[in-house]
Amino acid sequence: FHTGPWLSSAASSKELLMKLRRKTGYSFVNCKKALETCGGDLKQAESWLHKQAQKEGWSRAAKLHGRKTKEGLIGLLQEGNTTVLVEVNCETDFVSRNLKFQQLVQQVALGTLLHCQNLKDQLSTYSKGFLNSSELSELPAGPEREGCLKDQLALAIGKLGENMTLKRAAWVKVPAGFYVGSYVHGAIHSPSLHNLVLGKYGALVICETSERRAGLEDLGRRLGQHVVGMAPLSVGSLDDEPGGEAETKMLSQPYLLDPSITLGQYVQPQGVSVVDFVRFECGEGEEAAEA
């Protein structure tokens, strides 16, 4: 076994090894192998490690392909006038609680946010868009990562050993005079995840409002709660007749937090009008997602 000239000084080789481990997070054994393979060149060793991980991730992803992914998380990210909602699925709830999986959801949310911010549109009204699984996979992974989101997915599969899918994303951009209310059910906040909010259900509610005023955030959250709990299919109009439990028009539904009035009756005195919404439920069927 030939250790190579870079190992001649035990102290400096140990320092290199620690540096590489801190920088990449890979195991002691893998980092040692990388430095040996690359003659002690830190930059080359880092690149070699990433390539190996990518290869292993892809081969593992191919083996696990087709296994059902019904668990996972919804991620919500808001920045400036842009809000995104993403869904990433895995096989078990146990993996959805793993930080590495949550970091993958973060990558997908950031990739979607950047994609949306790069769209050159003159906003006179709000704009809303959806990305399906294959469109999401091809998005760039962001400024600090190489390749596309599908490469990040393969890496996560390689590390966590479960099949995973980038299910879908929705984004909303609004000009002045509009506001996006949001709500995530069972929310997990993590300061290390760039203001990302995670949970099993998420909703965005787009409102038109003549002025920014106090309490708008709280109102937006309540409207989001209603959309998550009552699952409307359309907004409807304030002129519609009040409906019962089975009503699918949002403004005619009994208001979730006070069923004695409709959502329309709750919203009307608040000085905002609801114009659109998006609702994601983790693991819901393809048919529901398409609808």
Side-chain angles (χ1 to χ4, degrees), residues 66-78:
R67 286 193 359 194
K68 292 264 185 289
T69 53
K70 289 197 167 167
E71 293 295 334
L73 287 170
I74 304 293
L76 168 85
L77 190 57
Q78 279 185 298

Side-chain angles (χ1 to χ4, degrees), residues 41-115:
D41 185 310
L42 198 65
K43 214 166 176 52
Q44 275 186 22
E46 193 182 335
S47 175
W48 183 87
L49 276 169
H50 287 318
K51 283 198 180 90
Q52 290 301 109
Q54 202 72 61
K55 263 191 224 160
E56 282 170 31
W58 281 115
S59 67
R60 202 152 190 191
K63 277 184 202 147
L64 298 174
H65 183 71
R67 286 193 359 194
K68 292 264 185 289
T69 53
K70 289 197 167 167
E71 293 295 334
L73 287 170
I74 304 293
L76 168 85
L77 190 57
Q78 279 185 298
E79 200 169 281
N81 70 338
T82 306
T83 312
V84 303
L85 208 53
V86 301
E87 180 179 356
V88 182
N89 299 127
C90 54
E91 293 178 45
T92 63
D93 192 45
F94 178 74
V95 159
S96 75
R97 293 197 294 270
N98 186 294
L99 182 62
K100 284 192 171 68
F101 179 78
Q102 293 176 1
Q103 284 167 338
L104 173 65
V105 183
Q106 178 193 23
Q107 279 299 123
V108 176
L110 282 170
T112 306
L113 190 74
L114 286 170
H115 165 75

Side-chain angles (χ1 to χ4, degrees), residues 119-177:
L119 297 172
K120 297 283 175 263
D121 40 11
Q122 294 302 310
L123 285 181
S124 56
T125 181
Y126 77 96
S127 67
K128 175 177 87 166
F130 292 91
L131 296 165
N132 63 25
S133 185
S134 54
E135 290 164 334
L136 259 185
S137 300
E138 298 303 327
L139 289 186
E144 291 168 31
R145 307 285 171 118
E146 287 175 22
C148 302
L149 287 177
K150 64 181 175 192
D151 299 316
Q152 298 302 315
L153 175 70
L155 277 174
I157 291 172
K159 283 175 183 165
L160 294 170
E162 271 197 14
N163 191 24
M164 296 171 203
T165 43
L166 309 182
K167 174 86 170 281
R168 54 182 169 158
W171 51 264
V172 173
K173 260 172 129 170
V174 294

Side-chain angles (χ1 to χ4, degrees), residues 4-5 27 30 55 66 84 95 114 117 122 125-126 130 147 192 194 205 217 232 261 269 278:
S27 72
N30 284 339
K55 263 191 224 160
V84 303
V95 159
L114 286 170
Q117 287 171 339
Q122 294 302 310
T125 181
Y126 77 96
F130 292 91
S192 65
H194 189 90
V205 183
E217 198 171 315
I261 56 171
V278 178

Side-chain angles (χ1 to χ4, degrees), residues 22-33:
R22 268 200 306 273
K23 207 159 181 213
T24 64
Y26 291 111
S27 72
F28 176 86
V29 173
N30 284 339
C31 288
K32 191 164 185 269
K33 190 176 177 188

Side-chain angles (χ1 to χ4, degrees), residues 183-201:
Y183 174 70
V184 171
H185 186 66
I188 314 161
H189 296 260
S190 171
S192 65
L193 292 174
H194 189 90
N195 303 326
L196 181 76
V197 187
L198 298 164
K200 295 293 183 182
Y201 299 80

